[in-house]
Amino acid sequence: MPPPQRSPFDAARLELLAGTTVYDRGRAYLPRVKGLALTATHATARIRGTVTYRVSLTWHARTPDGDCTCPHFASGFFCKHLVALGLAVLASLPPDDAPTSATSTPAGEGASGASSLSAGPGPEAGNPALTPSAHGSPSSGEGGAGGGGAVVDEELKEYFLREAREAGRTHGYVDYWRAPDVAGGLDSVLDELEEALDRGLADTAAPALLRLTTRIRAITLNADDSDGFLGAAGQWAADLYARACREGNPDGLKLGKWLAKFRGETPGWPEMALADFGDSLGEKGLAAYRRSVEAMARVVEEEKGVSVSERKYDRSEVEKMQIELADLDGDVDAAVALLAGSEYLHYDGIIDRLEAAGRQREAMAWLDRAVEAGRIRVDSGLGYGVVVSFDRAVSMYLADGREEDARAMAWGLFTADAAPAKFDAWVRLGSQIGGSALAARYAAEALAWVDAQEWQVGVKPIELALHLGDHERAWEAADRWGAGYRAQTLADMDPQPRPAAALEAYRGLLGRAMESWGGQGAAQEAVAMMRKMRALAALVGAEARAEVDREIAEIRAEYRRRPTLMAAMERAGLP
């Protein structure tokens, strides 16, 4: 699959997913993007921060999705590293096409044969050895990739293999504390191998990369890789090996058999795709790969009902390989049947393929099924093709003249839990249909619905009010339904419209904190609350300030045998 020739999304979409603050940070990280590998629907890179993060980005239609090894992404956010990679993808496109947006074609759709799998950099990359025209034909060897990797430095190849063997020696189980050091040693070798690829020595580096790809997976299966360092090294090795195959002259037949087996036996990592290997399998290798996948699919069918731990092959990975082959053959019906019959029904992937094939009526029918099944997502979380983004669903409904269906979908999503993101989606729909006036009406309608409900606790109405910046509405919700775990959020609002109510909230919080004592951390938390109470009391008046000081003095007397608390209060200058 070639890299996109036109922009698959735009910078505005990245900013929408990440938020302005994170987007700006990601833009600053753009120069740190290293080792960019790009296909028509997928990009990977390394981004150097406090540590080196492995980042991948995929896109269907105009909605990018991805994965990153950083803590911010692990917490469920579209991180700055994903933004940086997205901007790097946009920057890699030809200048004349960069401002344009177009839906990219899923893997191999509308194509047949191995020639549609080219994943190497296009002519715009400025390296003639890696352009499609530089790839040899299958008749020139088992692989058929050809190019800059044709020169093999035997001495350097053996050196790389020795380094790979040494870095892969772990002498048993790798515990949590050793994992970063082991990964660091592997990363050092991978750095050298990537430099070799940059110098056009693909066939020189390929044997060591193959060894590392297989060895790191084995290491990770016998390690505590809670922080993901080893997994990231394994993904990097796999990505580099795929690049070496694209740019070199592998034995396509052996590669096809190895790739199918390695993927079929996957424990879930590293992630690999047929398109990553470009034309390197050649006709014979692709035929062998296809036969292996068909054989594994039969085994998977026979193993239905067998526990996961006892299965020979990973069902989801085998299904993924089957779908890739169907896409390669341009067989939309086969791809849709596989996506519909998989463990998790892939609504977005089905719609992608039907729309690309011009089968809009069927695509709309699948969208209706996704809505009915509750598979519409309004946030930027990852869906892996299983769910359909809200914006895409709205665009399809409006383009099909089904405004009422778009409205019903958006209203149903909002009234399910009144989440701020769903409120925004509902209002955004109003803006799309009728501009700012209708958006304002939709907002008022949603808030009226919230006010009409009998909430057991006011957390949802409070969160929505805070999202809108309406502090008074938030307090009114607390008055009516109680604040629940949002009491401190209300009390910490600045500016604070109700200092007396905030002070009362902090009294309750401090009382609970003193009951569940937990050492130095609890002492610091309690002192912070006392200081906050004094600040709020000052806003209320002199009498309230005097009362708070008396309460603090009583706490000092009652808990005088807690030296950690006493020391913290002294340092804070509390009475």
Side-chain angles (χ1 to χ4, degrees):
M1 186 192 306
Q5 298 300 304
R6 309 182 73 188
S7 173
F9 48 83
D10 55 25
R13 177 67 59 173
L14 294 172
E15 185 171 4
L16 178 65
L17 291 170
T20 302
T21 301
V22 174
Y23 174 81
D24 288 341
R25 292 172 182 164
R27 189 168 54 182
Y29 267 61
L30 181 56
R32 304 188 186 192
V33 177
K34 305 294 180 184
L36 176 65
L38 186 62
T39 71
T41 60
H42 183 71
T44 59
R46 291 176 291 114
I47 298 180
R48 298 188 186 277
T50 309
V51 297
T52 298
Y53 297 109
R54 318 298 174 202
V55 192
S56 64
L57 197 68
T58 58
W59 49 88
H60 296 286
R62 287 173 47 77
T63 303
D65 211 346
D67 186 66
C68 182
T69 56
C70 77
H72 191 63
F73 175 83
S75 298
F77 298 97
F78 197 92
C79 65
K80 62 188 175 186
H81 307 106
L82 286 172
V83 172
L85 178 54
L87 293 174
V89 170
L90 297 179
S92 71
L93 302 178
D96 291 340
D97 290 329
T100 311
S101 64
T103 301
S104 54
T105 306
E109 189 131 309
S112 63
S115 60
S116 67
L117 283 171
S118 176
E124 68 277 5
N127 187 347
L130 305 185
T131 62
S133 62
H135 289 196
S137 64
S139 62
S140 67
E142 290 294 338
V151 178
V152 179
D153 184 326
E154 292 293 341
E155 185 177 347
L156 187 58
K157 182 177 80 172
E158 289 304 315
Y159 164 77
F160 285 147
L161 279 168
R162 286 196 303 272
E163 290 290 293
R165 282 193 290 270
E166 184 61 32
R169 286 197 180 100
T170 56
H171 306 290
Y173 181 76
V174 178
D175 63 24
Y176 175 83
W177 306 107
R178 284 184 62 208
D181 290 336
V182 172
L186 294 164
D187 282 355
S188 295
V189 179
L190 290 168
D191 262 326
E192 289 187 74
L193 290 164
E194 186 170 39
E195 289 176 11
L197 292 179
D198 292 340
R199 298 200 307 271
L201 298 172
D203 288 331
T204 301
L209 286 167
L210 173 59
R211 180 175 183 84
L212 287 170
T213 299
T214 55
R215 178 59 185 151
I216 295 173
R217 188 167 83 176
I219 292 170
T220 310
L221 288 170
N222 192 34
D224 180 351
D225 191 35
S226 301
D227 287 336
F229 293 114
L230 291 169
Q235 187 63 56
W236 187 13
D239 292 343
L240 290 180
Y241 179 58
R243 177 185 167 188
C245 292
R246 294 196 307 268
E247 298 173 8
N249 294 281
D251 182 323
L253 189 60
K254 289 182 179 179
L255 177 59
K257 292 177 179 179
W258 172 85
L259 181 59
K261 186 174 186 295
F262 187 76
R263 292 183 65 187
E265 295 175 350
T266 180
W269 69 88
E271 292 185 11
M272 302 178 98
L274 182 57
D276 295 341
F277 289 81
D279 294 332
S280 59
L281 277 70
E283 292 181 357
K284 291 182 180 179
L286 183 60
Y289 179 87
R290 190 185 296 273
R291 288 193 298 271
S292 296
V293 172
E294 290 170 354
M296 286 189 286
R298 290 193 292 271
V299 173
V300 166
E301 188 64 27
E302 293 168 0
E303 289 182 333
K304 280 186 175 178
V306 176
S307 66
V308 174
S309 62
E310 295 178 0
R311 293 176 187 172
K312 186 174 182 180
Y313 301 114
D314 182 84
R315 176 183 173 182
S316 63
E317 189 68 17
V318 173
E319 287 176 349
K320 181 180 174 182
M321 290 190 280
Q322 289 180 284
I323 292 164
E324 288 173 344
L325 288 169
D327 285 337
L328 176 63
D329 296 337
D331 192 339
V332 177
D333 289 328
V336 168
L338 287 162
L339 289 164
S342 64
E343 190 173 359
Y344 300 102
L345 209 160
H346 287 64
Y347 293 98
D348 204 45
I350 291 170
I351 292 169
D352 270 341
R353 288 158 175 79
L354 291 172
E355 283 198 319
R359 294 160 61 171
Q360 196 62 29
R361 288 296 94 211
E362 293 172 78
M364 293 304 302
W366 275 101
L367 174 60
D368 290 337
R369 291 176 66 175
V371 171
E372 185 178 351
R375 295 298 182 181
I376 307 298
R377 193 169 206 158
V378 300
D379 58 25
S380 61
L382 303 182
Y384 300 106
V386 177
V387 299
V388 181
S389 75
F390 174 83
D391 289 337
R392 181 178 198 179
V394 166
S395 295
M396 289 178 67
Y397 275 136
L398 295 184
D400 201 46
R402 295 172 61 182
E403 181 182 308
E404 281 305 310
D405 287 325
R407 189 180 188 281
M409 174 193 70
W411 184 249
L413 287 168
F414 171 68
T415 55
D417 64 3
K422 295 178 180 179
F423 174 88
D424 290 345
W426 166 248
V427 174
R428 190 162 68 247
L429 173 63
S431 179
Q432 286 180 259
I433 295 172
S436 58
L438 188 59
R441 201 178 89 196
Y442 274 29
E445 184 178 352
L447 293 175
W449 178 87
V450 169
D451 291 342
Q453 304 310 301
E454 289 300 328
W455 303 94
Q456 290 186 343
V457 67
V459 169
K460 287 291 183 181
I462 290 169
E463 289 177 340
L464 182 55
L466 293 174
H467 174 69
L468 297 173
D470 191 337
H471 293 182
E472 187 56 41
R473 169 178 274 276
W475 274 113
E476 288 172 358
D479 290 342
R480 183 174 174 186
W481 297 294
Y485 64 80
R486 285 299 182 193
Q488 186 165 354
T489 306
L490 286 173
D492 286 340
M493 288 191 302
D494 188 21
Q496 178 55 259
R498 296 193 188 180
L503 177 59
E504 198 57 39
Y506 258 106
R507 281 194 172 101
L509 291 167
L510 179 60
R512 287 192 290 276
M514 300 307 294
E515 289 171 3
S516 55
W517 192 252
Q520 186 166 350
Q524 292 172 347
E525 181 183 1
V527 167
M529 289 182 182
M530 293 178 210
R531 295 180 67 181
K532 183 69 175 180
M533 287 173 65
R534 296 189 84 209
L536 290 168
L539 296 175
V540 177
E543 185 176 337
R545 179 63 181 268
E547 178 62 26
V548 167
D549 284 348
R550 283 194 296 272
E551 291 171 5
I552 292 174
E554 290 171 1
I555 289 173
R556 183 185 286 277
E558 182 178 352
Y559 296 98
R560 62 185 180 278
R561 293 184 180 179
R562 292 184 180 175
T564 305
L565 177 62
M566 295 299 104
M569 292 178 72
E570 287 296 335
R571 287 194 299 271
L574 292 172

